Amino acid sequence: MTLKLEILGTGCKKCQQLESNAKNAVENLNLTADINHITDSIEIATRGVMSTPALAINGKVVSKGKVLTPEQIQAFLQ
């Protein structure tokens, strides 16, 4: 099963950093994942996210309003 990671945010510097950290986490664990960046504010709001950046794994939002480190993301993926 391929993991599905989504970065929810407008594309600001923090959102870009979270996306980079997510890619690093996936690489560090030798996993296969689809990583998408969702920038549509309406789509973000429908998921209950009011502060960005946010991270969703397989459709479930696991973090809102902070830039997780690769190590923190790896903990969610293991």
Side-chain angles (χ1 to χ4, degrees):
M1 181 180 126
T2 301
L3 288 168
K4 183 178 177 187
L5 278 69
E6 295 170 315
I7 311 302
L8 297 103
T10 58
C12 67
K13 190 173 181 179
K14 287 183 178 182
C15 298
Q16 292 170 6
Q17 184 63 55
L18 181 59
E19 183 173 3
S20 176
N21 291 351
K23 288 177 181 176
N24 287 338
V26 168
E27 288 174 13
N28 291 343
L29 294 174
N30 293 316
L31 298 173
T32 302
D34 290 329
I35 300 175
N36 297 310
H37 197 133
I38 297 173
T39 58
D40 180 47
S41 58
I42 294 172
E43 172 69 19
I44 292 168
T46 61
R47 294 180 185 224
V49 174
M50 295 299 150
S51 58
T52 60
L55 174 67
I57 300 173
N58 292 331
K60 181 181 179 199
V61 176
V62 297
S63 172
K64 298 177 189 175
K66 57 186 166 186
V67 178
L68 297 176
T69 65
E71 293 77 18
Q72 290 172 313
I73 296 168
Q74 287 175 31
F76 285 113
L77 299 176
Q78 292 176 323

